[in-house]
Amino acid sequence: MAEHFDVVVIGGGPGGYVAAIRAAQLGMRVACVEARAALGGTCLNIGCIPSKALLQSSEKFAEARHGLAEHGVTLGEIGLDLAAMMARKDKVVTALTRGVEFLFRKNKVEWLKGRARIAAPGRVALDGGPEVEAGAIVIATGSESIPLPGLAVDETRILSSTGALALARVPERLAVIGGGYIGLELGSVWARLGAKVTVIEYLDRILPNMDRELGPALQRVLARSGIAFKLATKVVSGSLGNDGVTLELEPAAGGARDSLAADIVLVAIGRRPYTQGLGLDELGVARDAAGRIAVDADFATNIAGIYAIGDAIAGPMLAHKASEDGVAVIERLAGQKTAVDYDRVPSVVYTAPELAAVGKTEEELKAAGTPYRVGKFPFSANPRARANGDTEGFVKVLAEAASDRVLGVHIIGPDAGTLIAEATLALEFGASAEDIARTCHAHPTLPEALKEAALAVAGRAIHI
């Protein structure tokens, strides 16, 4: 007789493992199927965590080379031990994956190692082995890099983000195809370490999904640091040679072709749901035009007993969104009415300076015909940013004209990824710009910039 679980979660990433733990907390017998040798999914193993470890290390290297003299700190010749940097990154990943394993043991979540296929509603098969029964099946298989036709990734000279996290040496010339957050973050890592980086973006600006002011502001800073940009440019083809890779380029709108030589090419044009091998077509599970699994408010598919969350469904492809989905689907299975509002999911780009956003952009408000007011405040006028010597960027608050309710907050500047948490809470509680402006913020701190931007909505910022 097949072993029975109340819930079987397919995928051990930030959506799947969180869902499994929450199910166990609620008294369910739960198993999580994961094929990798370590839990944590793409984010923990080859995504969010290793990239942030390298961003932190490379930023310290760049600061040691260029940023400490004005603080009165003088150093001798600065060297790079890339192997040690990579070893530190791997150590961080290992510690966290083992932490997830510990949480599974603590909560009595059974880890079923292998690849899963849904044999039928209520039945999950593992790599052709024994099947298990499930009262509910939650698909949390995440996403994968989108390939670029005609440019096959070999993880040697043409890389996905996975290969870009494991280079054995700093390339002299790195071409990054894609001006989204993955390309910009990894491009920043290798630019700081000495690579000549060129970012190629099909659209006319980087970070096209963020508020229109943020992308150009970041581009100006990155250009000053030596990163080159080719916007509104299409990669037509690529050829491998003894000297590296030659990319053929042309204007996105058509025109004369050009070429770009690089030692390494990073393909970072986006991600798509990873649902291969699950048997969805055989089961008749509905998907949309983008290949995402269609679900209702309960995260239920059109097949009874099968649910989906995270990158496998619509919504921002972010680890924390997947985790919120994971909690919500389990609590709904338990009879609660938990919901996730994707308008209140923050996004962060971990470049230097960082970018962070939550809620609506100006473009979205204009398109919807929503009357709004804008408040902006530069970090150059923030005392803590001045003291830190980190004054690039600004905070932008968008508030509904009639009610003053905060509709969106957009930040480029120091520690933006941390500052956005207060803004996210403000949106969650339906706060007005006046609410933020009337909240006492400690001095001198970076969050004062958010307070001043909220004051600026009403035209009464104090320090500009």
Side-chain angles (χ1 to χ4, degrees):
M1 181 180 293
E3 190 171 9
H4 179 82
F5 296 91
D6 297 314
V7 179
V8 172
V9 180
I10 303 176
Y17 84 72
V18 168
I21 290 171
R22 185 67 186 120
Q25 287 176 341
L26 291 172
M28 302 178 192
R29 185 161 190 260
V30 56
C32 182
V33 184
E34 173 55 56
R36 278 193 177 92
L39 293 166
T42 294
C43 175
L44 209 163
N45 287 278
I46 53 172
C48 325
I49 300 304
S51 65
K52 302 314 168 282
L54 289 182
L55 280 161
Q56 180 73 1
S57 295
S58 63
E59 190 166 348
K60 287 184 178 296
F61 176 72
E63 185 178 21
R65 292 183 66 194
H66 307 297
L68 294 179
E70 69 170 339
H71 292 276
V73 180
T74 57
L75 303 171
E77 183 177 353
I78 304 299
L80 172 64
D81 186 342
L82 183 60
M85 188 178 290
M86 290 295 181
R88 176 187 176 274
K89 176 257 297 181
D90 293 340
K91 184 178 180 181
V92 170
V93 169
T94 299
L96 290 172
T97 58
R98 288 178 178 172
V100 178
E101 286 188 50
F102 165 76
L103 292 172
F104 270 22
R105 292 193 298 272
K106 174 186 174 183
N107 290 282
K108 296 181 174 56
V109 174
E110 187 163 341
W111 177 9
L112 303 179
K113 299 180 181 181
R115 294 190 178 278
R117 178 178 58 84
I118 305 174
R123 300 189 70 85
V124 177
L126 294 173
D127 289 333
E131 294 184 358
V132 296
E133 294 181 349
I137 298 169
V138 177
I139 299 170
T141 46
S143 60
E144 63 179 352
S145 298
I146 296 175
L148 185 63
L151 204 61
V153 169
D154 59 14
E155 301 297 17
T156 301
R157 285 187 288 181
I158 300 176
L159 313 178
S160 70
S161 57
T162 302
L165 291 166
L167 288 172
R169 63 178 180 83
V170 179
E172 290 186 19
R173 302 164 300 173
L174 172 65
V176 178
I177 304 175
Y181 73 95
I182 294 175
L184 295 176
E185 288 181 2
L186 292 175
S188 293
V189 166
W190 295 108
R192 292 170 190 162
L193 299 181
K196 181 181 179 181
V197 175
T198 302
V199 176
I200 306 161
E201 170 55 47
Y202 182 79
L203 299 177
D204 62 356
R205 60 183 173 129
I206 61 173
L207 300 172
N209 294 326
M210 301 194 85
D211 189 271
R212 182 167 285 274
E213 286 194 76
L214 295 188
L218 178 64
Q219 183 182 335
R220 287 191 292 271
V221 178
L222 295 182
R224 291 202 299 268
S225 73
I227 296 179
F229 292 87
K230 290 183 176 294
L231 304 182
T233 300
K234 177 183 179 181
V235 176
V236 178
S237 64
S239 58
L240 302 179
N242 293 331
D243 296 330
V245 184
T246 300
L247 298 176
E248 293 295 321
L249 312 175
E250 71 177 24
R257 290 192 176 182
D258 192 7
S259 63
L260 176 71
D263 301 294
I264 298 291
V265 174
L266 166 60
V267 179
I269 60 173
R271 298 185 66 81
R272 64 186 181 187
Y274 181 80
T275 56
Q276 293 90 322
L278 290 177
L280 301 187
D281 290 336
E282 294 84 346
L283 291 164
V285 174
R287 281 175 280 183
D288 64 17
R292 300 171 300 194
I293 298 172
V295 296
D296 63 15
D298 291 321
F299 300 92
T301 70
N302 62 310
I303 305 300
I306 300 177
Y307 303 79
I309 62 170
D311 287 3
I313 67 172
M317 285 185 164
L318 298 168
H320 44 282
K321 176 264 193 185
S323 295
E324 296 300 321
D325 283 354
V327 170
V329 67
I330 296 301
E331 291 183 348
R332 281 186 166 256
L333 284 172
Q336 301 178 28
K337 294 299 181 184
T338 309
V340 183
D341 185 342
Y342 294 157
D343 276 344
R344 296 169 186 171
V345 173
S347 58
V348 183
V349 182
Y350 294 91
T351 48
E354 290 182 353
L355 284 76
V358 66
K360 299 296 186 183
T361 66
E362 273 205 77
E363 293 70 44
E364 289 171 332
L365 294 178
K366 288 176 180 177
T370 303
Y372 66 94
R373 293 184 295 173
V374 181
K376 289 177 63 177
F377 188 81
F379 281 102
S380 59
N382 175 267
R384 184 59 187 270
R386 281 283 180 184
N388 291 350
D390 197 357
T391 59
E392 198 72 56
F394 57 85
V395 178
K396 177 178 180 178
V397 174
L398 305 174
E400 191 174 43
S403 68
D404 196 41
R405 181 169 58 92
V406 176
L407 301 175
V409 176
H410 308 275
I411 307 173
I412 174 172
D415 216 12
T418 301
L419 297 180
I420 203 66
E422 180 184 352
T424 304
L425 188 65
L427 264 70
E428 184 66 29
F429 280 88
S432 65
E434 182 78 4
D435 289 326
I436 298 174
R438 293 287 182 184
T439 299
C440 184
H441 289 65
H443 175 77
T445 60
L446 296 175
E448 288 179 286
L450 177 58
K451 174 186 174 77
E452 290 273 7
L455 283 165
V457 169
R460 63 179 205 273
I462 301 296
H463 291 96
I464 51 172

